[in-house]
Amino acid sequence: MAQVPEDGFSYRDLKVARDGTIFLIGENDERRTKLLRYDLRSFRFADWQTVEGEIPLYNLQIASPQEEDEPLAMTAWGFSSEEPNFRSYVLTEEHIAEYRGIRVPSPDGSRAAVYADGRGGIWGIEARSGEEVQWTKGENDAQPLWLSDGSGFIFLKDTGEELGDGAGPNYSLAKYDIQKARTELLPFQQGFWGTVEWLEPGRTLLAHNGFDDAIGLKLVDLSSHAEKQLIQNPTDHRVQTASHNGRKRIMVAQRGSFDLYSDMGDRLSRVPWPADADEFTAINPEYDAAAPENGVPYYKAGLASPFGISDLTFKPDGSGVSFLLGTIGESIDEVVAGTRLFAAGPGGEEAYALTKDYLKIRHHAWTPAGDAVICLIASPERDGCFYLGVKWLDISLKW
């Protein structure tokens, strides 16, 4: 454990760079955003960047340097509902740059695909010259996912229709070929696609397509033109998803079980959530997974308490998963304050607790080597007091 400097910032998230450097993300009452760095070798904290004004660093991405003399850079994206405008931010130790639109760099970094509110279409920008060219024409075209060879991208194409009820444009999935300057509509269902991401670049993608009162996850196979809705549930704090590109696996934690899916959408295994780790995780004998509204998986959780799995994530090599078990968020109905950190096999099997007590763990992440788990922990007694916990693991474990 290392106590985070008490500097008036409330820390809510953390990121781990490829070299193992840890970055904590905080915000203060003046809505300033701060990045604090922690070096695992020297065991020291240092200010890295403080930003005037709020930046949504929950979506912060760390771009590790390709060359030794290249500085560490981070990117983040934002959207202001008061003055609708997509923004991209690039942060280095020296300064922060702000750009209009969401910039998605190509695999080799030579150019970026950009889309911006009110501009229409997806544009290409050359990294060196800054030269711009319009690639697609739809007013609200969005979310380009680059193909591995940089020849083009998959994207959400605006059909010109609105879905209504605040759901935004009616989208089609499409492919853009840069050399041919051609858009190809793909034979998939139109509608609300939500946030899309690659599972296997160029072949399969995931669409987080839940909206309003639902949590959704759809798997799309571009080669076979198959699409499969893996989950479509009413809002439930106890639903969690995680995916691993290398292993091409998807994990869904819901209704007292871990379900592991292949990249074809086939369920490979179903493993129960950990049970009897303590008095709070005794299985509720009256719980029926087919009718979850009638109870909760754990006996002492109580009907109103959001108690279950959260912060589900794969190990870097995909050989296991980690998650928090306990109260989800903060509630006046909570039966216990905080969570315990668990690790398990890739399907959720053989789970064991990495922490003994319930702690107010805000977020956790793995080191790139998978030899340690990092936790950001809030003090249960003092507001504004945080700790960084490092749990080293035996990497010879079979999973």
Side-chain angles (χ1 to χ4, degrees):
M1 284 277 203
Q3 184 175 349
V4 178
E6 294 189 58
D7 52 13
F9 283 79
S10 177
Y11 291 92
R12 64 185 187 272
D13 203 351
L14 66 87
K15 301 289 182 181
V16 184
R18 195 171 297 171
D19 64 356
T21 304
I22 301 164
F23 291 91
L24 303 185
I25 303 167
E27 181 184 293
N28 67 5
D29 292 339
E30 286 76 42
R31 303 188 79 81
R32 297 173 76 204
T33 301
K34 184 173 186 177
L35 282 168
L36 192 66
R37 178 175 57 199
Y38 183 74
D39 192 323
L40 278 173
R41 293 161 293 191
S42 66
F43 308 108
R44 291 182 179 177
F45 289 97
D47 289 355
W48 194 76
Q49 179 71 262
T50 302
V51 181
E52 295 290 343
E54 186 181 20
I55 293 179
L57 294 181
Y58 60 84
N59 60 30
L60 185 73
Q61 304 286 324
I62 298 178
S64 295
Q66 302 296 318
E67 306 292 341
E68 259 187 54
D69 58 349
E70 189 179 345
L72 178 71
M74 302 183 184
T75 59
W77 301 274
F79 178 79
S80 170
S81 58
E82 297 173 358
E83 183 184 346
N85 234 327
F86 292 114
R87 289 281 188 245
S88 293
Y89 305 91
V90 179
L91 300 90
T92 65
E93 195 156 10
E94 289 75 28
H95 68 284
I96 174 172
E98 180 179 345
Y99 302 95
R100 181 186 178 190
I102 304 298
R103 295 186 171 214
V104 184
S106 63
D108 64 1
S110 63
R111 50 189 162 186
V114 181
Y115 60 101
D117 181 68
R119 188 177 188 186
I122 296 175
W123 293 66
I125 297 182
E126 294 293 328
R128 290 186 180 277
S129 66
E131 182 182 350
E132 299 184 45
V133 60
Q134 186 171 7
W135 282 337
T136 75
K137 307 294 185 182
E139 182 64 26
N140 293 294
D141 290 352
Q143 297 194 56
L145 296 176
W146 282 94
L147 301 173
S148 299
D149 60 3
S151 63
F153 48 84
I154 304 297
F155 71 103
L156 301 185
K157 178 172 177 53
D158 183 7
T159 63
E161 302 173 353
E162 289 288 324
L163 292 172
D165 196 27
N170 182 36
Y171 279 121
S172 288
L173 198 64
K175 178 181 178 180
Y176 184 76
D177 186 306
I178 294 175
Q179 185 174 6
K180 296 179 181 178
R182 186 179 69 185
T183 294
E184 174 190 357
L185 289 179
L186 301 178
F188 296 103
Q189 183 179 8
Q190 292 183 358
F192 177 77
W193 279 81
T195 303
V196 294
E197 63 176 317
W198 285 123
L199 180 63
E200 181 184 357
R203 181 173 168 267
T204 53
L205 62 84
L206 292 172
H208 299 264
N209 62 345
F211 174 73
D212 199 13
D213 60 350
I215 294 173
L217 185 67
K218 180 166 69 171
L219 176 66
V220 176
D221 189 323
L222 299 177
S223 58
S224 66
H225 295 159
E227 53 188 319
K228 186 173 184 179
Q229 194 73 37
L230 299 183
I231 57 173
Q232 185 68 64
N233 289 335
T235 298
D236 185 344
H237 291 296
R238 289 169 289 271
V239 178
Q240 290 278 298
T241 65
S243 61
H244 192 276
N245 299 70
R247 297 239 174 174
K248 305 169 192 173
R249 293 291 181 264
I250 306 152
M251 170 77 81
V252 176
Q254 64 173 333
R255 299 177 183 174
S257 297
F258 293 109
D259 290 333
L260 185 67
Y261 292 91
S262 72
D263 58 340
M264 303 295 290
D266 299 320
R267 192 173 72 192
L268 303 175
S269 63
R270 169 167 285 179
V271 176
W273 288 358
D276 300 318
D278 53 38
E279 61 175 313
F280 301 106
T281 53
I283 293 298
N284 182 356
E286 299 179 357
Y287 178 67
D288 181 1
E293 66 276 4
N294 297 329
V296 291
Y298 293 111
Y299 183 68
K300 287 196 174 183
L303 289 176
S305 177
F307 188 97
I309 303 295
S310 61
D311 213 18
L312 177 68
T313 186
F314 275 97
K315 285 183 64 178
D317 65 358
S319 63
V321 294
S322 56
F323 53 89
L324 303 178
L325 175 56
T327 299
I328 302 171
E330 296 184 7
S331 166
I332 60 173
D333 300 309
E334 62 192 20
V335 293
V336 60
T339 57
R340 296 176 69 188
L341 175 65
F342 280 74
E349 68 276 13
E350 300 179 6
Y352 69 95
L354 298 178
T355 57
K356 178 182 178 182
D357 301 315
Y358 282 90
L359 304 169
K360 289 196 171 185
I361 303 174
R362 290 201 164 187
H363 189 53
H364 82 283
W366 289 88
T367 56
D371 56 352
V373 184
I374 316 297
C375 292
L376 173 60
I377 305 166
S379 169
E381 301 167 349
R382 287 164 46 204
D383 289 342
C385 180
F386 300 90
Y387 295 89
L388 194 65
V390 182
K391 179 72 175 181
W392 296 96
L393 301 178
D394 182 355
I395 59 176
S396 67
L397 292 170
K398 66 179 181 180
W399 47 262

